[in-house]
Amino acid sequence: IKPNIVHFEEIPELFCEHNISKEIYRPERPYLIFETTHCSDFNPQNKIFLPDKFIFVCPFSAVQYARFGIPHEVIEYPIDNTLIDKQQSFKDLNLNNQTKHIVIIGLFTPRKNQRYAFQLAKQLINYPILFHFIGNQADNFRNYWEPLMKEKPDNCIVWGERHDVNKFLDIADINLFPSDGTIGDKELNPLIIKESLEHSIPCLIFNLDVYLGR
């Protein structure tokens, strides 16, 4: 093949064998290379191979990689108008609209911090409030979520992975996104925050530095 552009969906230092990257990034290459990154845990000081252009999913990455002076563009996930049908979603999920509903969406991991939501739920156990957890419990994070499930309060419902997340956002009073992470393991540009904006519901989040105060 003779491509005009080779687009790396993640920076090659994170996944590609050095000898392969060296060949693809050779100085005399007849094509352009674009790079995108979806994580905040790579130290740009360890960058070896440089593309012709960066395409970033959020402004934080643009700040991180500005040192290289390489052209870049930030293309963010759009915030679109969304049709909301609360009544139908309540019916489809078999939930009571007289109860307050808090949704927590994301894979069960330490970074997503469902433990924090469980702690809040325990403090609100005597109120007409339900916490809905939507997200997969993957085997590689079993050491996190398995002990957590043993202390799950009764006002928490774990729905697992779903294909109708929009229905939970339809009925939600609050989207709780307790992700905090650690240095080198933080959110970058979580879609769930934008989906909350699309559904016009409050989103409670920690003010992580990767959000740049936005």
Side-chain angles (χ1 to χ4, degrees):
I1 63 173
K2 296 180 179 180
N4 295 315
I5 296 172
V6 175
H7 186 180
F8 278 75
E9 294 184 359
E10 191 53 78
I11 56 177
E13 289 84 355
L14 285 175
F15 74 95
C16 199
E17 293 183 17
H18 183 89
N19 62 324
I20 295 176
S21 297
K22 187 176 180 180
E23 171 62 23
I24 295 174
Y25 281 75
R26 65 187 187 276
E28 67 278 11
R29 60 183 181 259
Y31 45 79
L32 297 174
I33 296 180
F34 294 173
E35 278 184 28
T36 298
T37 183
H38 299 85
C39 66
S40 63
D41 56 357
F42 180 76
N43 187 344
Q45 291 182 353
N46 298 326
K47 196 85 177 76
I48 300 172
F49 304 101
L50 297 178
D52 297 287
K53 183 177 182 178
F54 287 112
I55 300 176
F56 296 126
V57 300
C58 73
F60 178 77
S61 296
V63 173
Q64 275 192 308
Y65 291 84
R67 69 182 69 194
F68 298 111
I70 292 174
H72 74 272
E73 188 169 350
V74 177
I75 304 177
E76 294 199 64
Y77 188 85
I79 300 173
D80 299 319
N81 293 325
T82 299
L83 293 176
I84 299 172
D85 191 340
K86 279 183 174 289
Q87 186 174 357
Q88 186 61 46
S89 293
F90 272 118
K91 183 178 179 180
D92 293 343
L93 297 173
N94 194 27
L95 293 172
N96 184 351
N97 62 6
Q98 300 302 310
T99 301
K100 295 295 184 182
H101 299 277
I102 299 175
V103 298
I104 302 94
I105 298 172
L107 181 70
F108 270 72
T109 67
R111 184 173 75 178
K112 295 295 185 185
N113 199 17
Q114 284 88 357
R115 182 182 302 279
Y116 181 83
F118 275 23
Q119 292 169 348
L120 292 181
K122 289 177 182 178
Q123 297 181 54
L124 298 170
I125 194 72
N126 295 320
Y127 292 84
I129 300 173
L130 283 178
F131 289 73
H132 302 276
F133 294 79
I134 301 96
N136 190 17
Q137 293 180 330
D139 278 342
N140 54 324
F141 292 108
R142 180 178 292 273
N143 63 337
Y144 173 71
W145 58 260
E146 193 169 53
L148 195 61
M149 292 299 293
K150 294 177 181 178
E151 56 185 69
K152 181 181 76 68
D154 291 338
N155 57 349
C156 292
I157 303 175
V158 177
W159 296 83
E161 189 169 359
R162 303 277 298 205
H163 298 289
D164 56 353
V165 176
N166 63 302
K167 294 183 184 299
F168 289 90
L169 291 170
D170 281 351
I171 61 95
D173 295 286
I174 288 176
N175 174 27
L176 174 61
F177 189 67
S179 181
D180 56 357
T182 59
I183 295 176
D185 182 25
K186 295 183 182 180
E187 298 292 340
L188 201 57
N189 192 12
L191 300 188
I192 186 57
I193 296 177
K194 298 188 175 185
E195 290 171 343
S196 295
L197 293 171
E198 290 180 342
H199 283 76
S200 300
I201 57 175
C203 185
L204 301 183
I205 63 176
F206 287 114
N207 188 17
L208 306 182
D209 56 351
V210 289
Y211 300 151
L212 297 180
R214 296 194 300 160

